[in-house]
Amino acid sequence: MRDVPTTQMKVIEAIRNGLDVAMDLDPHLICYGLGIDDPKRIFGSTVGLAEKFGNGRVFDVPTSEAAMTGIAVGAALRGVRSVTVHQRLDFFFLAMDQLINNVAKWHFMFGGQRSVPIVIRLILGRGWGQGPTHSQSVHSWFAHIPGLKVVMPTNAADAKGLLLSAIFDPNPVLFLEHRWLHEAVSDVPSGDYRVPLGQARIVSEGGDVTIVAMSFLVPEAIRAAGLLARHGVGCNIIDLRTIRPLDWDTVSAGILKTGRLLALDSGLPICSVASEIVAFASERHFQSLKSAPRRLTMPDHPEPTSFGLTRGLHPSAESIADTVCEMLGLPHRFAPDPNAGPHDVPGAWFKGPF
Amino acid sequence: MRDVPTTQMKVIEAIRNGLDVAMDLDPHLICYGLGIDDPKRIFGSTVGLAEKFGNGRVFDVPTSEAAMTGIAVGAALRGVRSVTVHQRLDFFFLAMDQLINNVAKWHFMFGGQRSVPIVIRLILGRGWGQGPTHSQSVHSWFAHIPGLKVVMPTNAADAKGLLLSAIFDPNPVLFLEHRWLHEAVSDVPSGDYRVPLGQARIVSEGGDVTIVAMSFLVPEAIRAAGLLARHGVGCNIIDLRTIRPLDWDTVSAGILKTGRLLALDSGLPICSVASEIVAFASERHFQSLKSAPRRLTMPDHPEPTSFGLTRGLHPSAESIADTVCEMLGLPHRFAPDPNAGPHDVPGAWFKGPF
Amino acid sequence: MNTQLPNDPSLRLVREMLRIRMVEEAIAREYPKGEMRCPTHLSVGQEAVAVGTAAALERTDPAVSTHRAHAHYLAKGGDLKRLLAELFGKEAGCARGRGGSMHLIDLDVGFEGSTAIVGSTLPVGVGLALGIRVRAEAAVACIFLGDGAMEEGVFYESANFAVVRKLPALFICENNSYSVYSPLTKRQPHGRQIHDVVRALGLTTAAHDGNDVFGVAAAVKTAVQAIRDGGSPVFLEFSTYRHLEHCGPYPDDNLGYRPEKDVAAWKARDPIVQAQERLRDHPGFSGEVIERWRSEIAAEIDGAFAFARTAPWPDPSTRAEYVYA
Amino acid sequence: MNTQLPNDPSLRLVREMLRIRMVEEAIAREYPKGEMRCPTHLSVGQEAVAVGTAAALERTDPAVSTHRAHAHYLAKGGDLKRLLAELFGKEAGCARGRGGSMHLIDLDVGFEGSTAIVGSTLPVGVGLALGIRVRAEAAVACIFLGDGAMEEGVFYESANFAVVRKLPALFICENNSYSVYSPLTKRQPHGRQIHDVVRALGLTTAAHDGNDVFGVAAAVKTAVQAIRDGGSPVFLEFSTYRHLEHCGPYPDDNLGYRPEKDVAAWKARDPIVQAQERLRDHPGFSGEVIERWRSEIAAEIDGAFAFARTAPWPDPSTRAEYVYA
Ligand SMILES: Cc1ncc(C[n+]2csc(CCOP(=O)(O)OP(=O)(O)O)c2C)c(N)n1
Ligand SMILES: Cc1ncc(C[n+]2csc(CCOP(=O)(O)OP(=O)(O)O)c2C)c(N)n1
Ligand SMILES: [Mg+2]
Ligand SMILES: [Mg+2]
């Protein structure tokens, strides 16, 4: 990080701060989405913006996800950047035509004459009975599509820095925030702080196994590394930060360094980012792999609602550590922390219902 | 094939025949889609159906892809199966909310009480300037989603057999027909002929390399095998036929047999079915692989319109054969057939414009 | 456990509203204990639309609904124990704990499903109507929606198809003037009447007071009859008001997003209080009757909560089931 | 190559229609040679809407359009050579050969883009209007659509948002009664007027003869003025008719999907013939003028075809470009 003052902030505050900075920098930047100026302010991420920048630049919209996405394209063509927000990614399926046929392709299909610099914030749900239609993350879909950039921040500094880069990138960027990370605190540089898109972050530099992760799996991987360290196993953890374009150089270096790869994915398994990373590793680095590369993802079914069915649904520090031990032929297995709170909330701060 | 009379048919005729048989079998089955009863009859695939079964069962619809998909769900809940058709998959992006949040999940999210037995025909375009928005195949997206079944037939017999299985399957099935295969002719059993979903077909049993393919890449792989046979290379070609559920047993057997895997994909590369197959191979059969598994897909960008830009866009027999030789460390490289017709049409039968 | 219901239709309507109110209030009371762990949208204040509509439908008429479906489910006859068990995430839940409050189903009473994506059951409901037509049945498909769902394009597509094919579809729009915290004024143009838009689409429409259960029942009865007689699909708009927060168990008028005088005016027009007033001179109705209902219903609710609370979780080994039929 | 245009506005309208007609006919004539290898939707018969609309707009007013965009592009002032080069798939094409007939753009004249997915530019056009508002500009965003696009839900969403925010958006609906081969009667209820539906949404609307170029120009002029004066977004419906097949270069009346008498009646009301009749007594107009225009235009078209035909292909090594800016 550069030599600028930092403040401890939650992810959600860092996003708010990033929006504030961006709206100051670009007098035409607009922010809109259902509830953006309501009492809850998108989990707090837009507090004060409507007051500061006015209803012309920060406004609530009808429940019309498809049109609101195409409208962002049109505004961008007229020189007006935007940050749209959807309180759950699950609602954004309504906008797939606009996303794929217009947002992702406008630059290409008109021969590069226009670009569509827009940011779409998609909030990912999990637990507290979010269930099949309030918990989905199809980042792997988005990673499939040329023309899109896809960001999945893990901590507050990255959330702000990636958001500012996304806003001022000439391309459309999907910004996937996990609800469970919203309250995670870290030092955040003030002002126009940017983290480049397309650069992964090396979280830890162990030598035994390379763990590639995104979003809420990065803190799980870090916890797993802690468990494994007690057994002398060193983890090389890569936080992808950007899912597309993916930082293949950093991933390659990690694979070459340890010869062992575990790809984590916060979404469904089949045709996932984890699949892509494992495929890349075996296609490009076959000779350097010391053991079969592995994946750990959510299971191949929707998230059920019941508290009784969601325990162990997603990869956790323990399942990650177990898998690493399997890969290394070590006997250790890790039991869940008996003092952990209920498995379906990110922490005591989460009170439901949404 | 069973001991039933067969007739030589085009894929498109086999589909028509399958629909006809199914509508005879199930008096409540309906078929609808834009243009289903118009003079062109969906490239001929619905000829005569409106006349035989009446407008109550075979009908044209408004240009409303989202609603028409949800309507199929509702009809299915009332005991009415349907076959919907979209003349390009590209139009179906409008229906993603219905597909993901309702079609794929209805059975799961209501605890298995109701299923949604519907078939959605999606026609895939290519060439003749179909360009960025008339040539897409996101079968990899669909393969990502639990609750969906995804079929990609290659020949006329399979087209009919898979279609009939799809129609009478209790689950939603996406049936992806490639425009370039519509006129391919083969022997098709008459009557209620079914090919089970989820079973791949072993096309050829060579011992040197296993090629996994779908849709129009199967004939390309067969051509490639012909080229390679001249050099003594034997190809074990697997036609997936169903992309989800995928026949992992057959794929595994193929990998174990040859120790070499080339996964072809008719779609985009990242997070693709080819990625999944390569990931699976290296995760499960790492010790059995003699060389790095490989993928061959379309490039990571949209299909441009220009004739001058589409040559060599998709994998071809030659590029497949080249890749196999690379994998085997053989020096041979294959030039395109100088007598082949224009690269942007499937054959002389294709007159454009759509 | 459902005690003998009054034979008199008016009394039944009032009792059913009271029952739904008491169920919702019990959920609100219990929710903070953290046993019902799912997003939950209560219907307090909006009972009349659900009850009046269901009263005019046959049990076999299929219905679909939205995120705010408790009242629709119960009014249609959905099982209370299984509703609560669903909120508790139990295997005995109406969706086996897979769906939670936003995904209710009771096939025994034609409640075909409610879902959490705004607008997403609209075409499903029209599809039910199409199925009815294809099978030459006499049923009417009832489609509940909110004023917010009108903003989703799929509403227009669904309504258009229903008219083009003249399907037996009945849209029941509960216009409570809000989508979450957003008033209609931010989402739809000033002065627009929702039912006017729908009339232009070609449906038969009308707007009524959604807090008058007798009026609702009468309007829906007429509509259902017209549809069964082969008329156009019908869209009925009912104005009503939600008493509690959009999602969750608490009142939220402290947030100030709704004008105080609106809140007061609507609460003064509480559908249950109003209906009771209308029944003042009804021979079968009295303070004692109400009290008897209250205690019958309270007992039913207690029993249902006890059932839900003690019912077993789904077996975790079945978690991956029901993906394919 | 564009020769001196007539100063008289009426003459310009007619000449422009004639030019577009001749371009489309030339494309139809040349298409079977197999050099223009892309799906192509011709506008023959529908020129008046494009020409009348463009005449009432400023060059700087942005416009978006549909799969059937040649006339809109040309009327707005889009470059003919680059249009043809695009159809030929050449690097000199208006979209560098990436888009083909269905993806036209000419930023020099505010033609922001046409796309191939029905309805998909509707919100883009409204977004242009939003951008205009945010930047406090005086422009009007013109959004061309067909009668079929009205069936996509995104139309309603887009129109609603335009009204809610009172954006400077002008919808120009070319109602040619068909979506591919499907008549309106199969897709929309009998007796519905598209503009009535849109009026109920809150837009200012009117319906006009789309084959009367003078009427179109006058109606659009009034609408544009009202919008610039801060009025509601406007939706104008123009009835018109397509002479050739939906997609491709040929007539298709042999298929019998349109009543013969309709075809005959509409062809008798050819917008160019009608406009010429209306100009009979106009001093600057005569048979010779027409013939001069014809030969000027023919020369222009020949030149443009020669240009397109001989222009180089895009360099295959640039195929993966323009994915990211
Ligand atoms: C497609 C979609 N967008 C947004 C949401 C978030 N959301 C949940 S309920 C709701 C309000 C809908 O308002 P209305 O239809 O009037 O129903 P009400 O809550 O007033 O009963 C919204 C916007 C959603 N569930 N689905
Ligand atoms: C979403 C979508 N669905 C279907 C199509 C196929 N399609 C291409 S043009 C067209 C007709 C649209 O009719 P209309 O809007 O009236 O335009 P017209 O062709 O009459 O000018 C259709 C259905 C498409 N391109 N996009
Ligand atoms: Mg509401
Ligand atoms: Mg039309």
Side-chain angles (χ1 to χ4, degrees):
Chain A
M1 282 181 205
R2 294 168 301 166
D3 198 25
V4 288
T6 65
T7 319
Q8 284 238 324
M9 279 187 203
K10 297 174 180 176
V11 166
I12 200 77
E13 292 164 344
I15 290 172
R16 202 213 71 81
N17 180 234
L19 292 173
D20 194 359
V21 169
M23 294 194 79
D24 272 334
L25 286 172
D26 177 351
H28 291 133
L29 176 65
I30 58 176
C31 293
Y32 61 81
L34 274 178
I36 204 162
D37 60 356
D38 78 12
K40 296 285 172 79
R41 303 288 167 118
I42 318 287
F43 306 109
S45 66
T46 58
V47 169
L49 299 181
E51 289 73 10
K52 180 169 171 187
F53 299 104
N55 176 265
R57 293 182 60 198
V58 179
F59 50 86
D60 204 351
V61 299
T63 319
S64 304
E65 286 79 2
M68 295 318 307
T69 304
I71 284 166
V73 174
L77 299 181
R78 198 75 194 173
V80 171
R81 292 169 188 264
S82 61
V83 180
T84 322
V85 58
H86 299 272
Q87 300 208 13
R88 284 291 178 273
L89 178 142
D90 312 66
F91 310 157
F92 188 56
F93 288 110
L94 283 154
M96 281 306 119
D97 165 58
Q98 287 297 325
L99 182 74
I100 302 310
N101 287 323
N102 284 346
V103 171
K105 295 196 178 58
W106 205 273
H107 188 63
F108 181 88
M109 72 190 173
F110 294 113
Q113 292 174 72
R114 275 278 198 250
S115 70
V116 177
I118 66 175
V119 174
I120 301 175
R121 292 175 55 199
L122 301 168
I123 298 175
L124 310 176
R126 173 183 167 187
W128 196 271
Q130 300 299 304
T133 59
H134 273 60
S135 66
Q136 297 170 83
S137 180
V138 292
H139 49 273
S140 301
W141 273 25
F142 302 145
H144 187 60
I145 303 298
L148 300 179
K149 295 192 175 183
V150 187
V151 169
M152 296 183 83
T154 297
N155 59 54
D158 281 353
K160 175 175 173 179
L162 292 165
L163 180 61
L164 276 159
S165 291
I167 291 171
F168 294 108
D169 195 275
N171 298 289
V173 183
L174 302 177
F175 188 87
L176 278 62
E177 319 164 14
H178 203 285
R179 184 81 185 92
W180 282 34
L181 297 171
H182 268 163
E183 305 277 308
V185 171
S186 65
D187 281 331
V188 177
S190 61
D192 183 11
Y193 171 67
R194 307 211 187 171
V195 172
L197 303 185
Q199 284 187 15
R201 180 174 68 100
I202 299 172
V203 178
S204 75
E205 306 228 36
D208 296 310
V209 63
T210 294
I211 302 178
V212 179
M214 76 283 277
S215 192
F216 75 86
L217 290 174
V218 172
E220 293 294 334
I222 294 172
R223 267 208 313 127
L227 299 174
L228 290 163
R230 291 188 230 148
H231 298 279
V233 175
C235 297
N236 188 59
I237 301 176
I238 296 173
D239 174 0
L240 288 174
R241 301 201 289 199
T242 304
I243 302 300
R244 183 181 180 104
L246 205 144
D247 181 356
W248 292 115
D249 289 344
T250 299
V251 172
S252 282
I255 295 166
L256 294 176
K257 177 174 173 185
T258 67
R260 289 196 165 82
L261 171 70
L262 172 60
L264 306 181
D265 199 311
S266 51
L268 293 160
I270 309 285
C271 301
S272 63
V273 171
S275 310
E276 182 62 29
I277 289 170
V278 166
F280 168 85
S282 46
E283 206 174 10
R284 298 288 181 86
H285 301 298
F286 188 69
Q287 301 303 339
S288 312
L289 290 172
K290 297 180 190 152
S291 65
R294 291 286 298 273
R295 290 178 279 181
L296 216 51
T297 70
M298 74 172 287
D300 192 22
H301 62 73
E303 177 159 327
T305 297
S306 171
F307 182 79
L309 289 173
T310 46
R311 186 178 286 109
L313 186 83
H314 286 279
S316 63
E318 292 77 19
S319 66
I320 295 166
D322 284 355
T323 307
V324 169
C325 287
E326 279 177 29
M327 292 173 70
L328 292 165
L330 296 173
H332 321 294
R333 293 299 177 269
F334 300 85
D337 179 355
N339 299 321
H343 69 267
D344 69 337
V345 291
W349 61 267
F350 186 91
K351 302 285 176 220
F354 174 65
Chain B
M1 282 181 206
R2 294 167 303 166
D3 198 23
V4 289
T6 65
T7 319
Q8 284 237 324
M9 279 187 202
K10 297 175 179 176
V11 166
I12 200 77
E13 292 165 344
I15 291 171
R16 202 212 72 81
N17 181 233
L19 292 173
D20 194 359
V21 169
M23 294 194 79
D24 272 335
L25 287 172
D26 176 353
H28 291 133
L29 177 65
I30 59 176
C31 294
Y32 61 82
L34 274 180
I36 204 161
D37 60 356
D38 79 12
K40 295 286 171 81
R41 303 287 166 120
I42 318 286
F43 306 109
S45 65
T46 59
V47 168
L49 298 182
E51 290 72 10
K52 180 168 169 188
F53 299 104
N55 175 264
R57 292 182 61 199
V58 180
F59 50 85
D60 204 352
V61 299
T63 318
S64 305
E65 286 79 2
M68 296 318 305
T69 304
I71 284 166
V73 174
L77 299 180
R78 198 75 194 173
V80 172
R81 291 169 189 267
S82 61
V83 180
T84 321
V85 59
H86 299 273
Q87 300 207 16
R88 285 290 179 274
L89 178 140
D90 312 65
F91 310 156
F92 188 56
F93 287 111
L94 284 154
M96 280 306 119
D97 165 58
Q98 287 297 324
L99 182 73
I100 302 310
N101 288 323
N102 284 344
V103 171
K105 294 193 179 60
W106 205 273
H107 189 63
F108 180 87
M109 72 190 173
F110 294 113
Q113 292 173 73
R114 274 278 197 253
S115 70
V116 177
I118 65 175
V119 174
I120 301 176
R121 292 176 55 198
L122 301 169
I123 298 174
L124 310 176
R126 174 184 166 185
W128 196 272
Q130 301 297 307
T133 58
H134 274 58
S135 66
Q136 297 170 82
S137 179
V138 292
H139 48 274
S140 301
W141 273 24
F142 303 145
H144 187 59
I145 304 298
L148 300 178
K149 296 191 176 184
V150 187
V151 168
M152 297 184 82
T154 297
N155 60 54
D158 282 352
K160 174 174 174 180
L162 292 165
L163 180 62
L164 275 159
S165 293
I167 291 171
F168 294 108
D169 194 276
N171 298 289
V173 183
L174 302 177
F175 188 87
L176 277 62
E177 318 165 16
H178 204 284
R179 183 81 185 92
W180 282 34
L181 297 172
H182 269 163
E183 306 278 308
V185 171
S186 65
D187 281 331
V188 178
S190 61
D192 183 11
Y193 171 68
R194 307 210 188 171
V195 172
L197 304 185
Q199 284 187 16
R201 180 174 67 102
I202 298 170
V203 178
S204 77
E205 308 228 33
D208 296 310
V209 63
T210 295
I211 302 178
V212 179
M214 78 281 280
S215 191
F216 75 86
L217 290 174
V218 172
E220 293 295 334
I222 294 171
R223 268 209 312 127
L227 299 175
L228 290 162
R230 290 188 230 147
H231 299 278
V233 176
C235 296
N236 188 59
I237 300 176
I238 297 173
D239 174 0
L240 287 175
R241 301 203 286 199
T242 304
I243 302 301
R244 182 180 181 105
L246 204 142
D247 182 355
W248 291 115
D249 289 346
T250 300
V251 172
S252 282
I255 294 167
L256 294 176
K257 178 175 173 185
T258 66
R260 287 197 167 79
L261 171 69
L262 172 60
L264 305 180
D265 200 311
S266 51
L268 293 161
I270 308 286
C271 301
S272 63
V273 171
S275 311
E276 182 62 29
I277 289 169
V278 167
F280 168 86
S282 46
E283 207 175 9
R284 299 288 183 86
H285 301 298
F286 188 68
Q287 301 302 339
S288 311
L289 289 172
K290 295 182 192 153
S291 65
R294 291 287 299 272
R295 291 178 278 181
L296 216 51
T297 70
M298 74 172 284
D300 192 23
H301 62 73
E303 177 159 326
T305 298
S306 171
F307 182 80
L309 289 173
T310 46
R311 186 178 286 109
L313 186 82
H314 287 278
S316 63
E318 292 76 19
S319 65
I320 295 166
D322 284 354
T323 307
V324 168
C325 288
E326 278 176 30
M327 292 172 70
L328 292 165
L330 297 173
H332 320 296
R333 296 296 178 270
F334 301 86
D337 178 356
N339 298 321
H343 70 268
D344 69 337
V345 293
W349 60 268
F350 186 91
K351 301 283 176 224
F354 175 65
Chain C
M1 181 71 216
N2 221 328
T3 352
Q4 177 96 51
L5 290 178
N7 281 325
D8 180 287
S10 305
L11 297 187
R12 288 174 79 110
L13 293 178
V14 180
R15 189 184 189 284
E16 189 56 24
M17 286 201 294
L18 182 66
R19 178 170 173 264
I20 292 173
R21 172 72 55 92
M22 288 175 69
V23 169
E24 295 287 63
E25 286 176 346
I27 293 171
R29 208 165 46 238
E30 299 291 319
Y31 192 89
K33 292 186 184 161
E35 296 166 303
M36 292 176 276
R37 299 172 86 84
C38 58
T40 300
H41 304 77
L42 300 179
S43 311
V44 177
Q46 305 188 192
E47 298 87 350
V49 182
V51 170
T53 298
L57 293 170
E58 297 294 324
R59 188 189 170 95
T60 46
D61 287 325
V64 289
S65 173
T66 69
H67 56 287
R68 192 179 309 288
H70 296 184
H72 306 146
Y73 169 99
L74 289 171
K76 193 76 175 66
D79 188 273
L80 173 61
K81 284 182 180 159
R82 300 183 66 212
L83 167 66
L84 294 181
E86 188 60 34
L87 269 63
F88 277 78
K90 300 303 180 66
E91 179 69 17
C94 61
R96 285 206 173 91
R98 271 66 181 176
S101 163
M102 300 191 293
H103 299 100
L104 303 180
I105 184 168
D106 190 336
L107 297 177
D108 290 341
V109 297
F111 198 80
E112 284 284 346
S114 65
T115 71
I117 303 294
V118 169
S120 81
T121 50
L122 300 171
V124 176
V126 172
L128 286 164
L130 174 64
I132 291 167
R133 172 60 41 80
V134 170
R135 301 180 70 98
E137 296 166 337
V140 170
C142 174
I143 304 163
F144 289 103
L145 69 153
D147 49 295
M150 286 283 309
E151 293 149 22
E152 295 288 4
V154 75
F155 169 74
Y156 299 85
E157 298 182 2
S158 303
N160 182 52
F161 184 76
V163 188
V164 169
R165 305 288 302 184
K166 260 201 159 205
L167 299 179
L170 169 66
F171 293 88
I172 300 290
C173 178
E174 281 175 45
N175 182 350
N176 62 8
S177 298
Y178 286 82
S179 169
V180 196
Y181 302 101
S182 304
L184 266 174
T185 48
K186 286 186 176 177
R187 305 178 280 118
Q188 299 185 27
H190 187 74
R192 174 199 293 172
Q193 295 297 319
I194 286 177
H195 60 278
D196 283 344
V197 176
V198 183
R199 180 171 311 121
L201 291 173
L203 287 86
T204 302
T205 65
H208 294 280
D209 177 3
N211 279 16
D212 167 11
V213 72
F214 308 114
V216 173
V220 177
K221 198 170 170 196
T222 308
V224 168
Q225 197 51 56
I227 296 171
R228 288 203 220 276
D229 290 347
S232 297
V234 177
F235 179 98
L236 298 178
E237 176 182 352
F238 295 107
S239 48
T240 184
Y241 214 67
R242 137 172 84 65
H243 288 191
L244 300 178
E245 61 185 336
H246 166 70
C247 180
Y250 301 112
D252 67 352
D253 287 315
N254 58 311
L255 296 176
Y257 67 101
R258 304 193 293 191
E260 268 175 45
K261 69 171 194 343
D262 286 12
V263 174
W266 277 103
K267 287 204 173 150
R269 301 188 55 258
D270 184 306
I272 300 179
V273 174
Q274 282 196 118
Q276 292 186 22
E277 272 161 25
R278 287 269 300 280
L279 287 190
R280 225 177 349 200
D281 303 326
H282 190 289
F285 189 74
S286 67
E288 292 95 80
V289 168
I290 286 274
E291 283 320 307
R292 198 184 69 237
W293 290 349
R294 278 194 191 282
S295 66
E296 286 168 8
I297 295 167
E300 186 199 1
I301 292 174
D302 282 351
F305 267 95
F307 171 83
R309 198 165 262 132
T310 55
W313 294 114
D315 179 348
S317 73
T318 65
R319 189 173 71 192
E321 282 181 17
Y322 311 126
V323 178
Y324 292 100
Chain D
M1 182 71 216
N2 220 327
T3 351
Q4 177 98 47
L5 291 178
N7 281 325
D8 181 289
S10 305
L11 297 187
R12 287 173 79 110
L13 293 178
V14 180
R15 187 185 190 283
E16 189 56 23
M17 286 200 293
L18 183 67
R19 176 169 174 266
I20 294 172
R21 173 73 55 92
M22 289 175 67
V23 169
E24 295 288 63
E25 286 177 345
I27 293 170
R29 206 165 48 239
E30 298 292 319
Y31 192 89
K33 293 188 181 159
E35 295 166 305
M36 291 175 277
R37 299 172 86 84
C38 57
T40 300
H41 305 76
L42 300 179
S43 311
V44 177
Q46 307 189 188
E47 298 88 350
V49 181
V51 170
T53 298
L57 293 169
E58 297 295 324
R59 188 189 170 93
T60 46
D61 287 325
V64 289
S65 173
T66 71
H67 56 286
R68 191 180 310 287
H70 296 186
H72 306 147
Y73 169 99
L74 289 171
K76 194 76 177 62
D79 188 272
L80 174 61
K81 284 183 180 159
R82 301 184 64 210
L83 167 68
L84 294 182
E86 189 60 34
L87 271 61
F88 276 78
K90 301 302 180 68
E91 180 70 17
C94 60
R96 285 206 173 89
R98 271 66 182 176
S101 163
M102 300 192 291
H103 299 100
L104 303 180
I105 185 168
D106 190 336
L107 297 177
D108 291 342
V109 297
F111 198 80
E112 284 285 346
S114 66
T115 71
I117 303 294
V118 170
S120 82
T121 49
L122 300 171
V124 176
V126 172
L128 286 164
L130 174 63
I132 290 167
R133 172 60 42 80
V134 170
R135 301 180 70 98
E137 296 167 337
V140 170
C142 175
I143 305 163
F144 289 103
L145 69 154
D147 50 296
M150 286 283 309
E151 293 149 22
E152 294 289 3
V154 75
F155 169 73
Y156 299 86
E157 297 182 1
S158 304
N160 181 51
F161 184 76
V163 187
V164 169
R165 305 287 303 184
K166 260 201 161 207
L167 299 179
L170 170 67
F171 293 89
I172 300 289
C173 178
E174 280 175 47
N175 182 350
N176 64 7
S177 297
Y178 286 82
S179 168
V180 194
Y181 303 101
S182 304
L184 265 174
T185 50
K186 287 187 176 177
R187 306 179 279 117
Q188 299 186 25
H190 186 72
R192 173 197 294 171
Q193 296 295 320
I194 286 176
H195 59 279
D196 284 344
V197 177
V198 183
R199 181 171 311 121
L201 290 174
L203 287 86
T204 302
T205 66
H208 295 279
D209 177 4
N211 279 17
D212 167 11
V213 72
F214 308 115
V216 173
V220 177
K221 198 168 170 199
T222 307
V224 167
Q225 197 50 57
I227 295 171
R228 290 204 219 274
D229 291 347
S232 297
V234 177
F235 179 98
L236 298 179
E237 176 181 351
F238 295 106
S239 48
T240 183
Y241 214 67
R242 135 172 87 63
H243 288 191
L244 300 178
E245 60 185 337
H246 166 70
C247 180
Y250 302 110
D252 67 352
D253 288 316
N254 58 311
L255 297 176
Y257 67 101
R258 303 192 294 191
E260 268 175 46
K261 69 171 192 350
D262 286 10
V263 175
W266 277 103
K267 288 203 173 149
R269 303 189 54 257
D270 184 308
I272 300 177
V273 174
Q274 282 196 116
Q276 293 186 21
E277 273 161 25
R278 286 270 300 281
L279 288 190
R280 224 176 349 201
D281 302 329
H282 189 289
F285 189 74
S286 68
E288 292 95 80
V289 168
I290 286 273
E291 284 320 308
R292 198 184 69 238
W293 290 350
R294 279 194 191 281
S295 65
E296 286 167 7
I297 295 168
E300 186 197 1
I301 292 174
D302 282 351
F305 267 94
F307 171 82
R309 197 165 262 130
T310 55
W313 295 114
D315 178 347
S317 74
T318 64
R319 188 172 72 189
E321 282 181 17
Y322 311 125
V323 178
Y324 292 98

